[in-house]
Amino acid sequence: MKLVHTLDELREITDAWHNAGEVIGVTPTMGALHEGHLSLVRAAKAGSDRVITTIFVNPTQFNNADDLDKYPRTLDSDMAQLAPFGVDVIYAPGVDQMYPDGFSTTISISGVSEGLCGAKRPGHFDGVATIVAKLFLQTSADRAFFGEKDFQQLQVVKRLAADLNIPVEITGCPTVREADGLALSSRNVRLTENGRKIAPALYAAMQAAGVAIKQGTPVHEALSEAERDILAAGFAEVEYLELRAENGLAPLGTHSEPARLLAAAWLDGVRLIDNIAV
Ligand code: PAF
């Protein structure tokens, strides 16, 4: 497993792999790795000859300086976690490598970026799309693996690759959960002990709403009840809880498959997101 910080070094390696006809898989991350990321690495190993894990805390996708400052930077422990998986390269560029002086390009994707997380985090998906496009071009990966936990991000990345004809096949990997249902996230460590006990109520309420919707309860009723349950459990705010079409994320007032229920809610000053198929 080689730690690479510069694009020149990365290109030397990926050129040799491509010349040898090898398929390159990439798992883009911001580090602070957990089992969710490792599941992407497993999928990448199974579906590629060579695997690159990128670790870059991307400043342009944070719309809050404090959130960016607080984001855990744990390269040593990330490397230790990746070591048993046979990852070939960890690409951890610096900010000046990704955004050199004079950098002026932003990729903005309409439609799937709008609403949900896009509504409350202006510019977030522009930052994601721009950095992911750079990572695709820099790694020249044939395959890329993203978690379904960030379902809107996954749709944005698929749109990006399709619209810009970037020859990379995108695979969405299932959300990994704790035994009590809480979706794994690098932000979970910021929950208090009490908050950690409350947190699974989000997924539980979403599941109950999903079942009710499939059994014919009107969507708005099922969502109102779920929101009440989430707040009653101790969450401070439900930022959104919406039923959307799985492909294209159009809002759904009535259930038609395939659909996704997506939520963001605040607990202990931490923003948790989750989604389920309905
Ligand atoms: O999901 C993430 O960790 C980030 O949004 C990504 C895709 C690595 C882009 O910075």
Side-chain angles (χ1 to χ4, degrees):
M1 186 169 79
K2 199 168 166 43
L3 177 61
V4 170
H5 292 294
T6 68
L7 180 55
D8 286 348
E9 201 184 346
L10 180 70
R11 286 234 162 102
E12 215 173 287
I13 295 169
T14 54
D15 283 353
W17 290 344
H18 274 316
N19 289 340
E22 292 179 313
V23 171
I24 303 175
V26 66
T27 56
T29 81
M30 297 203 298
L33 301 184
H34 52 62
E35 190 50 43
H37 298 108
L38 300 179
S39 74
L40 307 182
V41 172
R42 259 185 226 108
K45 280 297 292 180
S48 336
D49 300 312
R50 298 287 187 173
V51 173
I52 304 171
T53 293
T54 70
I55 297 182
F56 178 66
V57 181
N58 174 33
T60 64
Q61 70 187 78
F62 288 81
N63 40 1
N64 175 327
D66 193 41
D67 205 18
L68 173 61
D69 281 352
K70 281 193 187 143
Y71 200 88
R73 278 118 171 129
T74 53
L75 185 59
D76 289 345
S77 81
D78 291 343
M79 286 180 63
Q81 289 198 72
L82 290 171
F85 287 87
V87 167
D88 296 279
V89 164
I90 296 176
Y91 178 49
V95 174
D96 49 353
Q97 175 87 214
M98 297 310 259
Y99 297 111
D101 277 351
F103 188 90
S104 313
T105 300
T106 300
I107 298 178
S108 190
I109 294 173
S110 58
V112 287
S113 289
E114 290 159 15
L116 304 171
C117 290
K120 293 283 173 158
R121 304 183 71 191
H124 168 68
F125 285 120
D126 291 358
V128 169
T130 305
I131 202 67
V132 169
K134 282 179 71 82
L135 291 170
F136 284 166
L137 296 172
Q138 292 186 349
T139 59
S140 64
D142 304 288
R143 298 192 178 142
F145 299 80
F146 293 85
E148 284 188 351
K149 153 92 181 350
D150 295 297
F151 196 78
Q152 190 175 15
Q153 169 173 282
L154 176 62
Q155 306 313 307
V156 167
V157 167
K158 284 183 174 171
R159 198 69 259 165
L160 165 78
D163 288 356
L164 297 186
N165 308 109
I166 302 176
V168 59
E169 185 188 305
I170 314 284
T171 300
C173 301
T175 302
V176 180
R177 298 181 182 279
E178 301 281 7
D180 59 12
L182 177 64
L184 295 196
S185 162
S186 309
R187 294 198 158 99
N188 292 352
V189 292
R190 284 163 49 191
L191 292 169
T192 61
E193 203 181 323
N194 189 43
R196 175 62 191 81
K197 286 184 192 143
I198 294 169
L202 177 62
Y203 178 57
M206 292 174 73
Q207 276 190 309
V211 170
I213 289 168
K214 280 204 265 198
Q215 286 173 348
T217 303
V219 171
H220 69 276
E221 265 177 39
L223 297 187
S224 300
E225 184 165 345
E227 182 162 346
R228 272 196 303 274
D229 288 348
I230 295 163
L231 295 173
F235 275 78
E237 184 196 336
V238 176
E239 193 177 289
Y240 65 75
L241 176 63
E242 290 186 37
L243 190 69
R244 297 272 181 136
E246 176 136 349
N247 302 316
L249 294 181
L252 295 178
T254 54
H255 183 229
S256 63
E257 284 187 82
R260 282 262 158 185
L261 184 56
L262 303 105
W266 287 86
L267 176 63
D268 282 346
V270 181
R271 186 175 178 277
L272 299 179
I273 61 168
D274 205 342
N275 69 87
I276 57 169
V278 175

